[in-house]
């Protein structure tokens, strides 16, 4: 009997090895490189990612809309900055109800952005510069103009019917001719998440805009379509995906009403559907495990404690996710501002360091195309000096904390929020829909609504890149009307000026990225917050001790706010040598107490 058990045990271990090796990524480097501080080194852990919103990056054919050739034109600008991965917001054919996040054809380039040849030329130019490209995978929903949906809505017996989520309405005693929605789900873009379709007299689900019907991931045909389109782009040479609201793909069985508690924040329920991990592991098995691809999930609704389920390498799902705790630390309901303390931000990052283990990986970001401009949201634009300093301080934080760093286009210039004054200044469907619900619905005054959207609206980060002091900031020709107005401060805030000025934000970020590239401690090093309770100073160390190598230790000190601050260094931490700072001549190397002026950032080796 004993031999039989031994044989079985040996067999099952062997089988496991066989199965798991089948799931392992094909490229050997991921598995054979020695670990660094317990982490498996990979290119995407060491990356500095630059997000491009193509509509607003550079127009090259005078139609006032950014295009792919405009990206190709500026690759040297990005190479010089030092970023090595580009995340391209959706470039696919779309009617642009949500500026490309409503895809009509996943294998076609949006007409306004150019042709597939333009895409291929851009990708080749990116590769020629030893950079990589990840594209945006938007598969929780498609456009209602996708042919799948056109077929699906045409009849209840269409072979595409179950590509989407159709349900009967509920009886409406007050108006029997108009049934009520199947449940009380709200849309992220105001109103109900259900849209009545007269042709087949049913509702379809759309967690976002009416023109963004949710795909039915319960349907294996949908999943196979997604895996096919992923392979299409991976086989063209893209290096991975940013996955739009990916935790939402598994819906609640039976789609019951939200309880009052769930209705407070539906994302928590919607992001934790029963088959989410099964779908992601299937996607990994069918597609991702066959490529050296990077994946980052936009993890709306996922708490820090739930992150590891999605990013732990042993689970073969995603490589990393965007967690929104830090970027939304100052957000209340509908674009309202809530007071926050620096300690809260520090606690968030400290918890990330504690909760995420060596098989997990993190991201660090404080801006994107859905949020206000970095320096207007978290910095200080009250004076030019503070705009410069606070932009540099924020980028210092993003590039020295733990995790893959994500920078958003224009933040390297310290681009600011736009001076929105009236509703017609905005473009965003989220704003237009909210106006109907909140202003027409009498919940807030028009003035209050405009003021809030001016502060937190997504259009702030979508105004065109400011390349020069030429008309329209050099984003498009003088004659063209940009699809969204260029910020009038382009005359003083623009790339041409900043590339020239050695002390500009652009050149500071360039030096920061170079420092990070030269020191793996900023990637794999331990993180220690030196003063979690300090209300003004965010001070932490990054340390990497590797056998046979001299220890790499950095001290980062950030004085958040215009007040001057004193910071006493703890035992054992010396400000040995200033390696970078955002205030010329301010250097207290060797001191045990640092005296920091408003918005001052310093990095010391120690
Ligand atoms: O964003 C999802 C999401 O979280 C946003 O709706 C965000 O919370 C909100 O807009 C903040 O004001 C993704 C894309 O990044 C966004 O651009 C799309 O509009 C959305 O999904 C639908 O695809
Ligand atoms: Ca164009």
């Amino acid at each position: 009997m004993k031999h039989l058990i031994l044989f079985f045990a040996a067999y099952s271990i062997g089988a496991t090895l066989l199965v798991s090796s089948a799931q392992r990524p094909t490229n050997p480097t991921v598995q054979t490189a020695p670990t660094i501080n317990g982490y498996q080194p990979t290119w995407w852990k060491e990356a500095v990612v630059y997000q491009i919103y193509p509509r607003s990056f550079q127009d090259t054919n005078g139609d006032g809309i950014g295009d792919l050739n405009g990206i190709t034109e500026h690759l040297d600008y990005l190479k010089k900055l030092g970023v090595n991965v580009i995340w391209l917001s959706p470039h696919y054919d779309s009617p642009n109800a949500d500026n490309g996040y409503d895809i009509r054809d996943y294998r076609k380039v949006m007409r306004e952005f150019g042709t597939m040849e333009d895409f291929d030329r851009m990708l080749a130019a990116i590769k020629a510069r030893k950079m990589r490209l990840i594209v945006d995978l938007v598969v929780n929903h498609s456009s209602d103009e996708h042919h799948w949906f056109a077929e699906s809505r045409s009849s209840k017996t269409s072979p595409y019917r179950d590509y989407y989520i159709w349900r009967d309405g509920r009886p409406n005693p007050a108006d029997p001719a108009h049934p009520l929605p199947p449940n009380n789900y709200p849309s992220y873009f105001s109103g109900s998440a259900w849209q009545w379709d007269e042709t087949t007299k049913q509702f379809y689900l759309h967690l976002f805009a009416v023109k963004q019907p949710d795909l039915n991931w319960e349907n294996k045909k949908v999943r196979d379509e997604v895996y096919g389109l992923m392979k299409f782009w991976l086989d063209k040479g893209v290096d991975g995906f940013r996955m739009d609201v990916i935790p939402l793909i598994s819906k609640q069985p039976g789609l019951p009403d939200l309880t009052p508690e769930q209705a407070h924040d539906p994302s928590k329920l919607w992001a934790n559907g029963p088959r989410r991990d099964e779908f992601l592991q299937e996607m990994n098995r069918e597609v991702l495990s066959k490529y050296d691809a990077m994946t980052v999930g936009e993890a709306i609704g996922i708490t820090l404690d739930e992150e590891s389920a999605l990013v732990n390498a042993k689970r073969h799902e995603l490589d990393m996710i965007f967690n929104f705790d830090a970027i939304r630390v100052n957000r209340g309901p509908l674009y309202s501002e809530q007071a926050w303390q620096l300690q809260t931000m520090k606690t968030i990052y400290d918890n990330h360091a504690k909760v995420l283990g060596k098989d997990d990986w993190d991201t660090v970001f404080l801006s994107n195309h859905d949020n206000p401009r970095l320096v207007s949201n978290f910095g200080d634009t009250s004076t030019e000096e503070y705009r410069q300093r606070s932009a540099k301080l924020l980028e210092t934080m993003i590039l020295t904390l733990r995790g893959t760093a994500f920078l958003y286009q224009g933040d390297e210039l310290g681009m600011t929020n736009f001076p929105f004054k009236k509703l017609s200044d905005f473009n965003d469907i989220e704003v237009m829909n909210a106006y109907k619900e909140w202003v027409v619905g009498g919940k807030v005054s028009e003035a209050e609504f405009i003021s809030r959207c001016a502060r937190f609206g997504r259009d702030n980060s979508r105004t065109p890149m400011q390349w020069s002091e030429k008309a329209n900031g050099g984003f498009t020709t003088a004659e063209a009307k940009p699809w969204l107005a260029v910020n009038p401060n382009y005359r003083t805030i623009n790339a041409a000026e900043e590339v020239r000025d050695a002390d500009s934000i652009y050149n500071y970020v360039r030096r920061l990225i170079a420092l990070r590239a030269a020191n793996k401690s900023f990637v794999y090093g331990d993180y220690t917050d030196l003063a979690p309770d300090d209300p003004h100073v965010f001070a932490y160390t990054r340390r990497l001790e590797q056998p046979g190598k001299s220890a790499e230790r950095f001290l980062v000190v950030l004085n958040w706010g215009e007040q001057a601050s004193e910071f006493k260094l703890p035992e054992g931490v010396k400000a040995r040598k200033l390696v970078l700072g955002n205030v010329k001549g301010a250097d207290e190397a060797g001191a045990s107490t640092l005296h920091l002026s408003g918005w001052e950032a310093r990095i010391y080796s120690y």
Side-chain angles (χ1 to χ4, degrees), residues 400-419:
T400 57
L401 281 172
R402 301 169 56 262
T404 297
F406 284 75
L407 310 180
Y408 180 68
Q409 71 179 41
D411 287 342
E412 79 277 9
L413 306 178
M415 279 176 64
T416 67
N417 275 3
F418 183 88

Side-chain angles (χ1 to χ4, degrees), residues 190-201:
S190 304
S192 164
W194 294 95
Q195 176 68 13
W196 175 256
D197 198 80
E198 192 55 35
T199 311
T200 57
K201 299 202 182 314

Side-chain angles (χ1 to χ4, degrees), residues 12-74:
S12 61
I13 290 168
T16 312
L17 281 178
L18 270 176
V19 167
S20 62
S21 64
Q23 286 171 7
R24 281 212 192 108
T26 44
N27 72 314
T29 50
V30 176
Q31 296 306 319
T32 52
T35 60
I36 301 177
N37 193 19
Y39 293 103
Q40 187 64 52
T42 68
W43 57 268
W44 42 264
K45 290 177 181 167
E46 301 172 13
V48 175
V49 185
Y50 186 93
Q51 181 191 357
I52 292 180
Y53 193 72
R55 196 173 188 81
S56 308
F57 195 67
Q58 174 72 65
D59 170 25
T60 58
N61 64 345
D63 64 358
I65 300 172
D67 43 58
L68 300 185
N69 288 335
I71 295 170
T72 306
E73 262 183 28
H74 290 293

Side-chain angles (χ1 to χ4, degrees), residues 205-218:
L205 180 69
H206 62 88
L207 295 182
F208 289 92
V210 167
K211 285 182 70 63
Q212 291 171 297
D214 280 54
L215 285 161
N216 173 18
W217 274 71
E218 300 295 327

Side-chain angles (χ1 to χ4, degrees), residues 19-31 43-44 220 224 227-228 230-241 243 280-295 316-317 319:
V19 167
S20 62
S21 64
Q23 286 171 7
R24 281 212 192 108
T26 44
N27 72 314
T29 50
V30 176
Q31 296 306 319
W43 57 268
W44 42 264
K220 183 76 170 62
D224 289 340
Y227 305 154
M230 290 175 72
K231 288 179 193 162
F232 174 82
W233 292 102
L234 288 167
D235 289 339
K236 287 183 77 63
V238 305
D239 298 284
F241 301 98
M243 298 192 186
L280 289 176
Q281 286 165 14
E282 181 184 74
M283 176 194 281
N284 196 298
R285 210 170 36 250
E286 301 278 323
V287 184
L288 299 169
S289 60
K290 299 174 170 55
Y291 298 83
D292 180 14
M294 159 185 169
T295 54
H316 301 292
E317 294 192 16
D319 293 325

Side-chain angles (χ1 to χ4, degrees), residues 83-95:
V83 299
N84 44 29
V85 177
I86 292 170
W87 153 25
L88 181 63
S89 272
H91 65 284
Y92 318 94
D93 175 43
S94 164

Side-chain angles (χ1 to χ4, degrees), residues 48-164:
V48 175
V49 185
Y50 186 93
Q51 181 191 357
I52 292 180
Y53 193 72
R55 196 173 188 81
S56 308
F57 195 67
Q58 174 72 65
D59 170 25
T60 58
N61 64 345
D63 64 358
I65 300 172
D67 43 58
L68 300 185
N69 288 335
I71 295 170
T72 306
E73 262 183 28
H74 290 293
L75 290 178
D76 287 333
Y77 165 86
L78 297 177
K79 181 69 181 173
K80 180 179 159 88
L81 182 61
V83 299
N84 44 29
V85 177
I86 292 170
W87 153 25
L88 181 63
S89 272
H91 65 284
Y92 318 94
D93 175 43
S94 164
N96 288 300
D98 187 16
N99 292 346
Y101 282 90
D102 49 317
I103 296 170
R104 180 169 49 201
D105 185 335
Y106 287 92
R107 299 172 193 234
K108 190 162 169 273
V109 170
M110 187 192 298
R111 180 184 46 74
E112 296 89 326
F113 290 168
T115 64
M116 189 59 89
E117 291 67 34
D118 296 332
F119 179 90
D120 293 340
R121 186 166 45 253
M122 174 191 71
L123 182 56
I126 288 169
K127 300 267 179 188
R129 291 166 175 78
K130 303 269 181 288
M131 296 161 78
R132 289 180 162 97
L133 175 72
I134 67 171
V135 291
D136 218 312
L137 186 71
V138 187
V139 289
N140 170 69
H141 48 271
S142 75
S143 164
D144 67 343
E145 296 183 25
H146 195 292
H147 80 87
W148 298 336
F149 190 72
E151 299 278 352
S152 178
R153 75 186 324 170
S154 66
S155 93
K156 285 186 176 177
T157 56
S158 159
Y160 289 89
R161 187 67 175 181
D162 282 346
Y163 271 48
Y164 297 88

